[in-house]
Amino acid sequence: MKRISVIGAGTMGRGIAYAAAVAGFPTILNDISDENLTKAKDYIENTLETSVKKGFISKTTCDDALQNISYLSDFSKSVKEADLVIEAVFELMELKIETFKKLDEVCPAHTILATNTSTMSPTEIAAQTSRPDQCVAMHFFNPVHKMKLIEVVKGLDTSDDTVEKVLEVGRKMGKECVEVNEFPGFVTSRMNCLIGNEAMNMLMEGVASAEDIDKAIKLGLNHPMGPLELADLVGLDSRLKNMNYLYETLGEKYRPSPLLTKYVKAGRLGRKSGRGFYTYTK
């Protein structure tokens, strides 16, 4: 596993590309939007500079990472030599399946295809390709350069060889990996969505303020972030999509909080829109 391509230059894609480049992998970040690629390049270069200043990485590692990473809008050129492609497009099953079909057509026969989904079925995505044994989910966490975990999720036909190769990539990135057999929501999203949804219901019911709910969870349960802060970071529109998927697949206990639905309809999407459960200045 030498060359990595990342599809999608949004928050997760640019973070994954950063982690791959810092780990020493020649990395290509692809997006259909040149504007997104420019923003991702600025983000990665600023994050590298900050990481050097704070002593997290050496200047040599930073310089090597800058050499390792390329930015391309041409889909086929981006993946034609990849050993591993990590898809990080928006969390819509139709879009992920479409992306995997294209990857299956243009990638070399040996290429492993990974989806960075937080809830969706790698089995369903892989079934649309001619290489389901070489498909897997790699669930990274935001912000990727700080968060240590990757959930490596086996689909029904994912081979042990594919899992082992992906685990090795994760270890080279300095991550801790857990191996998960596919079930909706995996481990972390299934638990996190429940906690966050209950926090939203408590806020709606007037149990406590957003600040005090988050403070109680951080200090009482030793969580590094409160559930409402975290939902704002993830994006409330993304959280609603995840909740709806889990509601459809796992049942009533995952019914999205009415407050979450209301906030998304109002355009209060969290940090990215400047307002969610909290207000943010850009």
Side-chain angles (χ1 to χ4, degrees):
M1 304 296 285
K2 295 179 180 179
R3 296 180 178 275
I4 294 176
S5 295
V6 181
I7 307 301
T11 299
M12 295 306 299
R14 69 192 186 188
I16 295 167
Y18 170 95
V22 168
F25 293 101
T27 304
I28 294 176
L29 180 58
N30 167 266
D31 198 284
I32 59 174
S33 166
D34 288 327
E35 181 182 357
N36 287 349
L37 287 174
T38 299
K39 289 179 179 178
K41 185 174 186 290
D42 291 343
Y43 168 85
I44 289 170
E45 291 177 353
N46 289 336
T47 303
L48 285 168
E49 183 180 341
T50 301
S51 296
V52 171
K53 287 180 179 178
K54 292 186 175 181
F56 297 139
I57 62 173
S58 68
K59 182 65 165 58
T60 300
T61 298
C62 172
D63 291 342
D64 289 345
L66 289 170
Q67 293 299 314
N68 286 337
I69 192 163
S70 303
Y71 306 84
L72 287 178
S73 57
D74 187 300
F75 186 86
S76 296
K77 288 183 180 179
S78 298
V79 301
K80 67 178 182 179
E81 296 181 352
D83 300 305
L84 170 66
V85 177
I86 304 172
E87 164 271 307
V89 302
F90 201 59
E91 198 80 338
L92 289 171
M93 180 60 80
E94 297 81 3
L95 180 57
K96 290 183 180 294
I97 286 174
E98 179 186 352
T99 303
F100 263 64
K101 284 181 177 179
K102 291 180 181 177
L103 289 171
D104 191 39
E105 291 175 0
V106 300
C107 287
H110 74 278
T111 306
I112 290 173
L113 308 181
T115 175
N116 176 55
T117 181
S118 57
T119 57
M120 294 183 177
S121 167
T123 297
E124 183 177 351
I125 296 169
Q128 311 304 316
T129 75
S130 64
R131 59 181 94 189
D133 58 316
Q134 294 167 224
C135 296
V136 68
M138 292 181 74
H139 180 202
F140 290 80
F141 294 79
N142 185 34
V144 178
H145 68 287
K146 292 182 179 180
M147 300 295 282
K148 285 291 186 181
L149 180 65
I150 302 175
E151 284 183 302
V152 177
V153 186
K154 295 175 63 176
L156 181 63
D157 295 311
T158 306
S159 71
D160 291 339
D161 181 62
T162 294
V163 171
E164 187 50 48
K165 287 177 178 177
V166 167
L167 289 171
E168 181 61 25
V169 168
R171 288 190 285 265
K172 286 183 178 179
M173 289 182 178
K175 305 298 186 184
E176 295 286 342
C177 299
V178 295
E179 188 176 333
V180 181
N181 292 313
E182 181 193 329
F183 207 78
F186 314 144
V187 174
T188 54
S189 294
R190 188 171 172 180
M191 291 298 298
N192 188 44
C193 281
L194 271 182
I195 294 169
N197 210 51
E198 191 60 24
M200 294 171 200
N201 283 333
M202 286 193 291
L203 180 62
M204 180 179 67
E205 294 159 359
V207 173
S209 67
E211 291 83 356
D212 282 347
I213 290 170
D214 279 344
K215 185 176 182 180
I217 297 301
K218 286 188 286 188
L219 299 182
L221 301 182
N222 205 27
H223 289 206
M225 289 185 73
L228 300 175
E229 292 176 279
L230 182 57
D232 272 358
L233 177 63
V234 169
L236 300 191
D237 52 343
S238 295
R239 175 59 62 85
L240 181 58
K241 288 182 185 299
N242 289 342
M243 288 302 306
N244 280 327
Y245 178 77
L246 292 174
Y247 176 48
E248 291 169 4
T249 54
L250 295 178
E252 184 63 29
K253 64 183 176 181
Y254 288 94
R255 180 189 291 272
S257 169
L259 188 60
L260 174 60
T261 302
K262 183 184 292 186
Y263 275 27
V264 171
K265 288 180 177 178
R268 294 176 58 166
L269 307 182
R271 285 183 177 272
K272 60 185 173 184
S273 70
R275 191 180 185 195
F277 295 106
Y278 298 92
T279 299
Y280 305 90
T281 55
K282 295 185 177 181

